[in-house]
């Protein structure tokens, strides 16, 4: 019994030492991650300033050149100038989207009970003004949820704008928005009757700059769905999609009860 007690004492000391060593490693790793996040934030601001400035200059010079050569350039010359301006603006949009993705990844959640119906109707009103596309939108019962209202509004904005964009070419574009409650989560959905996509490429949907349709077909940064996934995962939920080529797509996201 004495030997057993002594063995237990030795084991207890080893466990305490191992725990202290683990705590130190966790602390060191936390400090390292905090420093990395600070460096990333500083880099983001640097990118925002250092890349936006030359892009604005390129766009500005192209605009000046366009004015000074009005009526002097042939059709091809004007086309090239417009192409330069368009690409500069697109690059600026991509930088803004990446910065937004970085910001949302760092933002602390401020949870409150959010009236999803109010949020969705506000987003739809905003998107109708932006797109001017004739589309029928049906809003079914939307269950309130405990979440960050600012971040979840961004999720709805991206999903609804995508649904409008990819269904706008249909003779009768229709979007249906709804929700249901299962055992442990509320599932929200945005369904459209647009171009859809091949499900074998579904794993690429939520990656940064991953696109299933060409840029000439549909404008976009390729960051929106990555942002949606980041926000939903931050809430402890999931995001997925179902689709068929030419017959539309449905995007789902869940929030824990």
């Amino acid at each position: 019994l004495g030997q057993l007690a002594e063995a237990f004492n030795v084991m207890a000391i080893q466990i305490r030492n191992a725990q202290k060593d683990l705590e130190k490693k966790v602390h060191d790793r936390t400090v390292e991650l905090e420093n990395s996040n600070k460096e990333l934030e500083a880099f983001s601001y640097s990118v925002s300033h250092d890349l936006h400035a030359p892009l604005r200059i390129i766009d500005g010079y192209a605009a000046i050149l366009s004015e000074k050569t009005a009526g002097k350039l042939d059709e091809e010359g004007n086309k090239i100038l417009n192409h330069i301006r368009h690409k500069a603006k697109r690059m600026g949009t991509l930088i803004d989207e990446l910065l937004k993705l970085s910001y949302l990844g760092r933002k602390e959640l401020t949870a409150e009970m959010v009236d999803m119906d109010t949020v969705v109707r506000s987003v739809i009103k905003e998107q109708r003004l932006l797109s001017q596309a004739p589309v029928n939108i049906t809003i079914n019962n939307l269950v309130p949820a405990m979440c960050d209202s600012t971040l979840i509004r961004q999720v709805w904005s991206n999903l609804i704008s995508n649904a409008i964009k990819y269904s706008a070419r249909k003779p009768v574009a229709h979007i249906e928005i709804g929700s249901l409650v299962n055992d442990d989560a509320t599932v929200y959905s945005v369904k459209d009757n647009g171009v859809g996509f091949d499900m074998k490429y579904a794993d690429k949907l939520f990656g940064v700059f991953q696109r299933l349709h060409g840029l000439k077909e549909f404008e976009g940064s390729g960051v929106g769905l990555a942002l949606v996934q980041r926000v939903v995962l931050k809430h402890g939920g999931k995001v997925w999609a179902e689709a068929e080529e030419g017959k539309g797509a449905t995007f789902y996201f869940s929030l824990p009860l």
Side-chain angles (χ1 to χ4, degrees), residues 14-27:
Q14 291 174 338
I15 290 173
R16 281 199 299 272
N17 291 337
Q19 184 178 2
K20 288 179 181 178
D21 184 53
L22 181 60
E23 288 174 353
K24 184 178 183 306
K25 287 180 179 178
V26 169
H27 175 267

Side-chain angles (χ1 to χ4, degrees), residues 7-256:
F8 271 119
N9 288 336
V10 171
M11 185 171 65
I13 292 171
Q14 291 174 338
I15 290 173
R16 281 199 299 272
N17 291 337
Q19 184 178 2
K20 288 179 181 178
D21 184 53
L22 181 60
E23 288 174 353
K24 184 178 183 306
K25 287 180 179 178
V26 169
H27 175 267
D28 292 344
R29 182 59 175 162
T30 301
V31 171
E32 184 181 328
L33 286 172
E34 288 175 351
N35 290 335
S36 295
N37 284 334
K38 289 177 181 177
E39 289 176 6
L40 179 61
E41 188 172 357
F43 173 73
S44 296
Y45 284 118
S46 175
V47 166
S48 176
H49 180 270
D50 294 344
L51 291 184
H52 269 109
L55 285 173
R56 283 193 293 267
I57 292 170
I58 291 170
D59 184 47
Y61 276 131
I64 292 170
L65 187 58
S66 180
E67 291 176 5
K68 286 186 175 294
T69 59
K72 298 178 182 178
L73 290 178
D74 59 11
E75 183 180 348
E76 182 65 19
N78 287 319
K79 184 178 178 181
I80 290 171
L81 273 178
N82 290 332
H83 192 64
I84 290 171
R85 297 194 67 189
H86 175 74
K87 290 301 182 183
K89 289 176 180 177
R90 172 166 167 74
M91 188 62 161
T93 300
L94 289 176
I95 293 169
D96 289 338
E97 290 294 313
L98 284 174
L99 289 173
K100 188 186 297 181
L101 188 66
S102 174
Y103 166 73
L104 292 180
R106 301 191 310 272
K107 185 182 182 299
E108 293 295 327
L109 290 179
T110 304
E112 58 182 331
M113 188 56 70
V114 175
D115 183 344
M116 291 296 201
D117 188 82
T118 300
V119 172
V120 166
R121 290 182 187 278
S122 173
V123 168
I124 289 172
K125 183 178 180 181
E126 179 183 272
Q127 291 300 322
R128 283 192 186 280
L129 290 172
L130 290 173
S131 70
Q132 299 294 320
V135 56
N136 298 320
I137 302 178
T138 300
I139 304 174
N140 297 320
N141 180 48
L142 291 176
V143 181
M146 184 66 71
C147 57
D148 186 302
S149 60
T150 302
L151 294 183
I152 221 66
R153 178 185 172 84
Q154 190 67 53
V155 169
W156 283 116
S157 181
N158 285 357
L159 292 180
I160 291 171
S161 65
N162 273 2
I164 292 174
K165 176 170 65 176
Y166 290 114
S167 62
R169 297 180 183 177
K170 288 286 184 176
V172 180
H174 184 72
I175 296 169
E176 185 174 356
I177 301 169
S179 69
L180 60 89
V181 179
N182 58 28
D183 293 338
D184 59 357
T186 304
V187 178
Y188 300 91
S189 61
V190 179
K191 180 180 181 180
D192 66 68
N193 66 337
V195 296
F197 58 85
D198 190 333
M199 282 296 291
K200 70 181 180 181
Y201 301 115
D203 60 320
K204 295 184 177 181
L205 279 173
F206 302 101
V208 178
F209 298 142
Q210 295 290 336
R211 297 177 55 90
L212 302 188
H213 301 282
L215 193 57
K216 291 183 179 179
E217 294 180 275
F218 298 97
E219 285 284 344
S221 63
V223 178
L225 289 178
L227 187 149
V228 166
Q229 185 182 59
R230 179 163 294 190
V231 171
V232 173
L233 291 179
K234 198 175 183 73
H235 281 81
K238 296 186 294 184
V239 58
W240 67 99
E242 297 173 355
E244 188 176 347
E245 284 186 287
K247 295 186 178 180
T250 305
F251 282 83
Y252 301 90
F253 71 92
S254 67
L255 296 175

